[in-house]
Amino acid sequence: MPKHYRPAGKKKEGNAARYMTRSQALKSLQVNLNLFRRLCIVKGIFPREPKKKVKGNHHTYYHVKDIAFLQHEPLLEKFREIKTYQKKVLKAKSKKNEELARLLLTRQPTYKLDRLIRERYPTFPDALRDLDDCLTMVHLFAVLPASDREKLEVKRVHNCRRLSHEWQAYVSRTHSLRKVFVSVKGIYYQAEVEGQKITWLTPHAIQQVFTNDVDFSVLLTFLEFYETLLAFTNFKLYHSLNVKYPPILDSRLEALAADLYALSRYIDASSRGMTVEPKVDSSSSSQSNDREESELRLAQLQHQLPSSEPGALMHLVADNNEEVEEDEETRACKSLFKDLKFFLSREVPRESLLFVLPAFGGMVSWEGEGAPFKEDDECITHHIIDKPSAGHMYLSREYVQPQWIYDSVNARIILPTEKYLVGRIPPPHLSPFVDNEAEGYVPDYAETIKRLQAAARNEVLPLPGVGAGDLEDPQNLLYAGVMSRTEEAEAARNKKKMATLEKQYHEELKMEITGTSADDLPVEEEGEEGEEEDPEAAIKQVANDEDTRSKLSMSNKKRKLYEAMKMGLEKKNEGVKLIEERKRKLKKAQQ
Amino acid sequence: MDVEGEDASKVVHVKFVTKLDSPFKVPVTSVVIPSNLTRLGLSSIVNSLLTLENPEPFDFLIDGELIRMSLEEFLQAKGISAERTLEIEYIRAVAPRREEKPSLHDDWVSAVDGSSHRLILTGCYDGLGRVWSSAGYCTHILEGHSGAISSVALVNTEDAGSVTVATASKDRSLRLFKVDTDEPVDSTTKVGAYKILRGHKAAVQSVAAQKYGSMVCSSSWDCTINLWNTDQSTSEGDSVSTKKRKGNNQAAESQTEAEAESTFVGHTQCVSSVVWPEHDVIYSASWDHSVRRWDVDTGKETLNLYSGKALNTLDVGGEGSALVAAGGSDPVLRVWDPRKPGTSAPVFQFSSHASWISACKWHKSSWYHLLSASYDGKIMLWDLRTAWPLSIIDTHKDKVLSADWWKGDSVVSGGADSNLRISSGISIS
Amino acid sequence: MTAKKSEAAAEEDKIIDTKRKSGSVKSQKQKPAAKEAKSVEKEVKSLKEEDLLLESGTDSEYDGDGDSLSLNSDDFDSDFYDSEDDGSQRETENGDEVHGHDGSDGNVDDDDESEQVDSENGEEDGSEEGFEQDEAVEESDSSEDEVAPRNTIGDVPIKWYDDEKHIGYDITGKKITKKEKQDKLDSFLATMDDSKNWRKIYDDYNDEEVELTKEESKLIRRMLKGEAPHADFDPYAPYVDWFDWKKESIHPLSGAPEPKRRFIPSKWEAKKVVKYVRAIRNGTIKFDKPEEEPNYYLLWGDDSASDLRGKNLNFVPPPKVKLPGHEESYNPSPEFIPTAEEKAAYELMYEEDRPKFIPKMYTSLRSIPAYENALKESFERCLDLYLCPRVRKKRINIDPESLKPKLPSRKDLRPYPNSCYLEYRGHTGPVTSLSTERSGQWIASGSMDKSVRIWEVETGRCLKVWEFDEVVTCVAWNPLSDFSILAVAMGRDLVLLNTELGTDEEQKKIEDLLNVKDLPELVPSVAKIVTWRQDEKHGGVKITHFKTITYIDWHSKGDYLSTVMASGETRGVVVHQLTKRDTQKLPLKIRGLPVRTLFHPTQRGIFLIATKKNIRVYDLRKREGPIKKLETGLREISSMAIHPGGDNLIVGSKEGKMCWFDLDLSSRPYKTLKNHPKDITNVAFHRSYPLFASCSEDSTAYVFHGKVFNDMNENPLIVPLEILRGHSSSKGQGVLDCKFHPRQPWLFTAGADSIIKLYCH
């Protein structure tokens, strides 16, 4: 009888009872696959990996509890309703009764996801933890062209855009942006919100192209959920800043695709609250006249100056009452670009820089109207330019390439700009997410940056040798095993040396006795040379034997694991080796 | 390497002293020499000082240790500062100057005894013992054994006329021969045993004679050590003819059999070697990794040194003839000092050999020197004052099965190349 | 009385009506209807019948009407409107009537109205429609409809014109002048001389005299009598039962023709509609309800008491995406960019093992193109999120070295053989087999050069050589120390040699044991298998078997000797007894080809037979099948050895695996070691030291520490100690045999390079 034989009366047990395949789940839920998918996506139900796959390996298994969880989801009913309603509409359409169809479409049943969000993310940190994908997707869709073929309406794109900007505004306002990395795929940002590291990818601001090998319905379902999630998250965050959500935006700025800027302004204004109202005129009076009109627009919008205003009193006020909850990293980030004014020329990615620079306390303006200050402002310190050569150069400012900003942001220090000046090939842009020590390969530029950092640290807070000390220990630990090996080799070599010396001694003696003069010494020398590498080989042999010995006495499982790990390490080292090899080649090429 | 050629980067002030008398005495003056000289350099300097007609190799001592490697290495190893002027004592290098021509046997030479100045005694795998007056001159052939001779020993060498020889063989018996060494040797005379000592259950590995006495002791694969009486008069269990007839070339010679006087039991494995250094003390080495000292009168074992290895050979001698040197189934020659209380760890270990050590002998007169023979075909002369062998005699083409000092200045050895080799001219002061 | 009055009213009504030609058909119809209602109130039923009678002609037009009503709402409305306003008309009329008659009637009428509005009451409807219809009848046969109306002042009180010269205007708009009143006398005279004068009625609307026709007067008369106005109408027509069961109608429903009401709009409905319309006009009802604003609120207002996650089972948070490395940078340091040939290599690779991402270098930010896979990657991420089963995997980020078990250091496990000092040279062919003499003084070796040699262990000297004429497969020394007989197996012969190493008396014993003058008479079954013979050449006994011998094994007592032949069934293994010069077959069947046999070292009569796959333990004293069967998971057993203690067994196999069995623990291997890449040729236990070894065709030998503890509940400790190399393999063969020195921790290995090596500690 088969192993999984079950007498008639007996209930199922074990994996057979605990897991069901997808088709079973569909049957029990009485939904079709699409609906099931949507449910799973929205409810965050994922297949499980049973210990023993009762139905076979090629099935996907869901836990029975999960399915029951879906079963009791009110959304399921809602979806059914929608389905039937769709049928109605279809009928009307097919009857050419456009009137009715329109009528019905206006009265479609809708559903809300907020309960689900609360259910999936009981606490806010949970939501933040899962925000990575959400942000990435929303940012992606914010730059997608709306297309009715994919049923992607303009509304949604705009919504995505709005949400992403709201998020960015929050991040830059709270200076919680930590790392930026410009990659080929787009720009990675990493922010730290409520102790959660949140990383997201924004594509480069070029029209994305549709690839036809993706199933948009899935994407849109995700997007739907993500939009809601992000909206609620933003709400919570804004609320924590005492800002009303959704924000009312300066329409004009929005029109200029600078709505991020508008947002940040808005936030600053409303988070400052009434206390700073009186200061408006004082600070505005200190402004140069080119911003008057923006000023009064702000005035009529009850808006305030951007927080990154040099010498604005309210800045101090704000800081004073913020100091308490800010950790020193935030403070570092906040004051990185302090007292620096940046001007972005047309070709640089404005979106990103408008986001990054304020986030690190910089003050930005850009080319085109709506800008807070014009290009010919004297107190601009850095002019971000991405052209091979700048047209008219002001002597008072430095013309740097945008990468300078990203690099110094990642390094947390203001890097020397000469490498990044206009027209030069900037130094390599390194990923801030890599732990070089762990990776085993440290690019040169990382080294230089580290040195600069050390220098900066020392001048700021006199802690001698912070950088050096902690680096050594792991390596020591790492190479402990190696050391012993080398010692062994050393001992063997000494032994070898003694032996040769002894041999030589006897040769001498014999010679002396026989009375021959010292001529044939070189012969022995080379003889010794011949035997030199012998001990190394022996050592290797010994090591191998050790290895095999210990492997022998391992249990089978352990041995497999061990070999796997070895293989992994091997692969990693190979990668590093390859890179170093290339480097060597390049060096050779240069010389 | 010549001294002049080297750059004298670091120099030391040295003063050569010696106990040697002229012509090997140099005027005691301090000289400045480069510190990277080896023994050869020093020796050549001394030679140049001495201006002998043929250069004499010297060996050099700095407070009781022979200089090896280069001088500075040596100094820093010993932790002696090179500032003050060093007193370097020099002695003549211990090395065989001459190599006698080999004397061929019919089979492997398994045993050699050079304890008598007049003759060399060898045992061979063809079951014959031989007596050699000098290299190549075989005076007597001792026959009778049915198996290979594993060991030979000279009993009481002091009386002038003749010597008594004991041979141990793998045919489980020992034989005693009388060889008179007076009449001039012209031809080899065959000698039969006058006494056959039976009693071992297995092959006899080694035989040793009592100093100043007439007893021999033998050790065997049957894990026992037997004591035998050699003089025929007092041997009980005599056969009919007690009168011993002198006659070299008489075929019919009355043989008497004898039983063991006493048997020392204690070893658990083959007792590979015995020595009888003092009147009532027997040392024995065995494959059960132990060296034991037996009290002859009581038959009790009074010492048990444990070495990790199976031992093939041992000898007692050196300072106060109390040091025990033993070698066996590994290339290390170990020297114990039984007088040291507590520890049973060897005080010296010489590990220049490449294979098993088949024989080791202390020099009779010197406290420092001993030799060792090994299966790697080498005989090494050792000095307790350094870790390296003084010299290596690698004249044998195959395993060296046994070796011994002869006349205090030569080494006789026999090996699996069935040769008896004599290397002489070893100057041990 | 009331009747008369009402009739009069009705009369007047009608007359007025008929004189005045008002526009719409319906309005004309209704007045007599009202009259009818009053007049014929009593017999509703008859009325019904009547209008049923009269209906037929008018059907068509109504149908059309009904359709339009049911279908579109617009003309529904419009139709509603005129119905509405002639409803009001009627009200006004009733108003007149009320004026005309006393209150009671008005009351009745009001009732009617109200009832009409609120409930669908058959009678009311019926009656209402009723008169409409018979009007239609009247309409159809009244002649004077064709005559154009003369007076066009419409429906105003005529008395307004009392003191006018005209009484109105005709269609062309000319005044219609009154006739001059003739004085009473003339009129009287006219009446007198005109006989028809009584028929004349003055119509002051048109200001003329109308002469009633005969039938008109008849009609009036009938009405006065209170009969049905029409002459040919009989109120007592036979009742037609539309709904009869006698006929062959299977349907329970009535075959009655559709009632009218189905086709005409229902007023009350219309009223509701008009209410809505008004509401819509006022804007109280909106059609498109406003786009509801997505309202967001503080979802995580209180993070307290949120155990939702607890409800559904263990939630595995989605794994984060791997963070990008240097190579993903738009401007990576040059060493990260693959060279041209590497890229070419990538092209050659398969799709799957080609690297996902190939680094590129862009000189400036603006020159970065859109990433083509952005959508695709996010899509894949989505798929991962909802399609991939998530499992928590314990990440072991430990140094793999730490996985290695802590072996007891080899120093503590000394002594064990580790280095080779002695070699035994002399054989000219691969040495197939070794055997050590009990005391450890000598070893014997058999070789493919058809010779058997005896060596002195300590010196490596070859003592004896026997030359045979067949390849020696196996040599085995008698385990007794004082009984130095060597058993040599070559081809089909087993030769017992006298090594002449013992003492004399031992020699004597051996000799008279070994010369078999009187050949033993064997059991015929056995005789087929073996024959004993004296071997003069070597001075021993030669036992010839019927098949080539593969292995021989002595019993520890030294009397029994078992030989294994390459044959299955019962004849594969025989046991010889020296003292009796006898050979016995085993009383048992062997499944498969026997490979090795073993006498149990301690327990009497226990006998192990290894076949290719597994090992069976027999008890020779009782004659039944195996008392134990050991399942080695091995493909082909090549060798086995038993621990001197007798309860542990090691088995070597041709696939290079070695199994350690604990006999009284289980029938499965306690430990399986895969240590050799090639066949294991032999395994061996040391007699006294806790050592065991295996040698293999890969020309190496392994030495293990295998300590067996006395108490049962402690497992044997197995530690690999040393890999002994040094033999050179010749034509695929490495080390063919290995034996331990009986007393020293030394290992002898017999190499295919015709050398025997001794490894010492």
Side-chain angles (χ1 to χ4, degrees), chain A residues 22 37 41 46-49 62-63 65-66 69 106-107 112 114 117-125 127 129-130 132-133 137 140 144 181-185 188 197 199 204 206-211 213-216 218-219 222 226 231-233 235-236 239 245 349 386-388 402-403 406 425-431 433-434 436 441 443 541 545-550 552-554 558 561-562 565-566 569 578-579 582-583 586, chain C residues 287-289 292 295-304 306-309 311-321 323-326 328-339 341-342 346 357 360 362-372 374-379 381-383 385-391 396-401 403-405 407-408 410 671-675 702 704 718-723 725:
Chain A
R22 193 174 63 182
R37 275 205 190 121
I41 292 172
F46 47 86
R48 305 270 177 169
E49 197 72 17
Y62 288 85
H63 199 285
K65 278 191 185 168
D66 282 337
F69 192 48
T106 51
R107 287 154 171 65
K112 290 201 184 312
D114 47 0
I117 289 171
R118 183 62 201 271
E119 178 182 275
R120 279 176 66 169
Y121 308 112
T123 67
F124 188 52
R129 199 180 304 119
D130 265 9
D132 291 13
D133 300 316
M137 193 134 175
L140 173 62
L144 275 187
F181 176 51
V182 184
S183 92
V184 175
K185 298 181 178 176
Y188 287 89
K197 283 209 182 316
T199 316
H204 293 296
I206 308 147
Q207 277 289 15
Q208 293 291 335
V209 287
F210 281 116
T211 46
D213 50 2
V214 302
D215 175 2
F216 247 78
V218 173
L219 275 176
F222 268 102
Y226 282 156
F232 277 105
T233 319
F235 186 97
K236 166 88 174 170
H239 181 271
Y245 185 90
D386 197 9
K387 279 182 293 195
Q403 193 193 325
Y406 297 124
I425 301 269
H429 179 56
L430 300 174
S431 159
F433 305 115
V434 184
N436 286 324
Y441 173 74
Q541 181 62 266
D545 289 2
E546 280 302 321
D547 199 22
T548 39
R549 275 183 57 234
S550 45
L552 261 184
S553 48
M554 274 191 239
K558 261 196 174 170
L561 177 61
Y562 173 79
M565 289 176 91
K566 275 284 184 200
L569 285 180
L578 175 67
I579 287 172
R582 283 185 196 144
K583 192 171 175 183
L586 285 169
Chain C
F287 277 114
D288 45 357
K289 52 176 174 326
E292 88 282 356
N295 62 329
Y296 299 115
Y297 55 94
L298 195 52
L299 188 61
W300 295 279
D302 53 341
D303 284 355
S304 64
S306 55
D307 54 350
L308 291 144
R309 171 66 37 83
K311 274 225 298 288
N312 57 4
L313 74 166
N314 63 330
F315 175 77
V316 185
K320 298 227 170 200
V321 191
L323 289 174
H326 296 313
E328 270 193 35
S329 163
Y330 85 102
N331 174 17
S333 43
E335 60 261 28
F336 284 100
I337 296 173
T339 60
E341 55 267 19
E342 278 167 344
Y346 291 156
F357 177 84
K360 291 193 216 60
Y362 299 100
T363 53
S364 73
L365 221 56
R366 75 178 181 289
S367 59
I368 309 175
Y371 182 56
E372 63 279 1
L375 260 178
K376 195 164 186 310
E377 281 180 3
S378 71
F379 176 59
R381 173 65 178 169
C382 290
L383 288 187
L385 283 181
Y386 87 96
L387 273 185
C388 290
R390 293 182 202 159
V391 279
I396 25 173
N397 45 10
I398 53 171
D399 178 16
E401 297 307 317
L403 279 175
K404 289 182 178 175
L407 294 176
R410 298 196 284 176
K671 200 166 181 61
T672 304
L673 303 164
K674 170 104 184 67
N675 50 351
Y702 274 74
F704 298 87
I718 299 177
V719 182
L721 287 175
E722 191 66 46
I723 305 173
R725 296 184 168 76

Side-chain angles (χ1 to χ4, degrees), chain A residues 367-397:
Chain A
E367 207 164 324
E369 86 266 35
F373 48 86
K374 288 271 171 296
E375 180 172 1
D376 52 10
D377 188 341
E378 281 315 313
C379 48
I380 291 175
T381 56
H382 293 81
H383 191 125
I384 314 301
I385 190 165
D386 197 9
K387 279 182 293 195
S389 71
H392 167 270
M393 304 266 260
Y394 291 85
L395 295 180
S396 62
R397 60 185 77 161

